[in-house]
Amino acid sequence: MKPIKEVTSVLAPLDRSNVDTDQIIPKQFLKRIERTGFGKYLFYHWRFDDKGVERADFELNQPEYASSEILIARENFGCGSSREHAPWALGDYGFRVVIAMSFADIFFNNSFKNGLLPIQLSDTDVEDLLKKSKEKPLKITVSLETETVVTEDGDTYSFKVDPYRRQMLLNGWDEIALTLQLEDKIAAYENR
């Protein structure tokens, strides 16, 4: 996985609650066997009409959010089924960070395992960031090292990540990479 230390990007506002995994990546696109290629189907039914034409009124179809790496939404993001394809699709699309008031547990856990940083901020902080991002494209910096979100105007919001998960993302390790850090000890044990 690619390490996450600091991400600076325009914040992409998805001003919605209860965004479920079928909205993130619809079920008809789950037939792929690899972990890549899902980004083009992200929020498919919101992004495109029945003929596959982009909907001009969908937030993420606006040109100012085309290369955003940070998404913000309301509460209960990633609810619904347990599909691991949801963080795959978000990551493949280009998002590295998702900020919300709350997350569904399985989505939250799957995000860390797949190199996506889910940040839970207070309702007030999310409302503030959503409001600012609707006024004008808002550039922010998310620092996993300092556990802060800082706007281009200097407003700072703090978050906490479990130390184990924080270390994994800072180093770009999944569970296999973590195990390989102990390869010499494993080999020594097997040789005994």
Side-chain angles (χ1 to χ4, degrees):
M1 294 188 312
K2 186 176 177 183
I4 297 179
K5 295 184 187 332
E6 188 174 281
V7 179
T8 299
S9 170
V10 169
L11 182 62
L14 185 65
D15 192 359
R16 300 175 191 221
S17 301
N18 303 310
V19 176
D20 71 45
T21 54
D22 194 51
Q23 293 160 329
I24 296 170
I25 181 72
K27 64 186 173 304
Q28 69 266 31
F29 303 115
L30 304 183
K31 297 173 185 167
R32 302 175 58 86
I33 57 171
E34 55 280 322
R35 292 182 178 202
T36 59
F38 290 101
K40 60 186 168 191
Y41 307 118
L42 181 71
F43 301 123
Y44 191 83
H45 296 296
W46 290 344
R47 285 176 51 213
F48 302 101
D49 66 17
D50 293 340
K51 295 179 180 160
V53 177
E54 277 194 2
R55 297 176 191 267
D57 61 342
F58 181 60
E59 300 95 314
L60 300 184
N61 286 343
Q62 307 309 310
E64 58 266 31
Y65 307 122
S67 61
S68 181
E69 296 180 70
I70 306 169
L71 179 71
I72 188 167
R74 293 187 173 275
E75 71 276 354
N76 201 25
F77 190 88
C79 58
S81 71
S82 61
R83 64 185 67 155
E84 199 166 9
H85 300 77
W88 294 351
L90 287 159
D92 193 58
Y93 187 81
F95 289 115
R96 306 208 53 223
V97 178
V98 178
I99 299 171
M101 297 170 180
S102 62
F103 294 91
D105 287 342
I106 294 172
F107 174 85
F108 188 76
N109 292 323
N110 282 341
S111 293
F112 284 106
K113 291 178 181 181
N114 289 285
L116 183 69
L117 174 59
I119 296 174
Q120 185 171 341
L121 293 179
S122 71
D123 295 4
T124 305
D125 290 349
V126 169
E127 289 289 351
D128 192 40
L129 286 167
L130 280 169
K131 180 182 174 200
K132 289 176 183 175
S133 68
K134 288 179 187 175
E135 293 168 359
K136 65 174 183 148
L138 179 67
K139 193 172 192 178
I140 67 169
T141 297
V142 172
S143 171
L144 183 55
E145 292 178 313
T146 62
E147 296 178 307
T148 57
V149 174
V150 182
T151 69
E152 60 191 327
D153 299 327
D155 296 327
T156 302
Y157 309 85
S158 297
F159 63 91
K160 286 286 179 204
V161 174
D162 171 79
Y164 170 79
R165 289 177 166 163
R166 182 174 174 266
Q167 192 66 29
M168 297 286 279
L169 286 178
L170 283 170
N171 289 298
W173 295 338
D174 60 11
E175 290 165 339
I176 293 171
L178 178 64
T179 302
L180 291 175
Q181 300 300 310
L182 305 171
E183 189 172 16
D184 57 336
K185 292 179 181 175
I186 294 167
Y189 174 78
E190 288 177 346
N191 286 334
R192 281 186 293 201

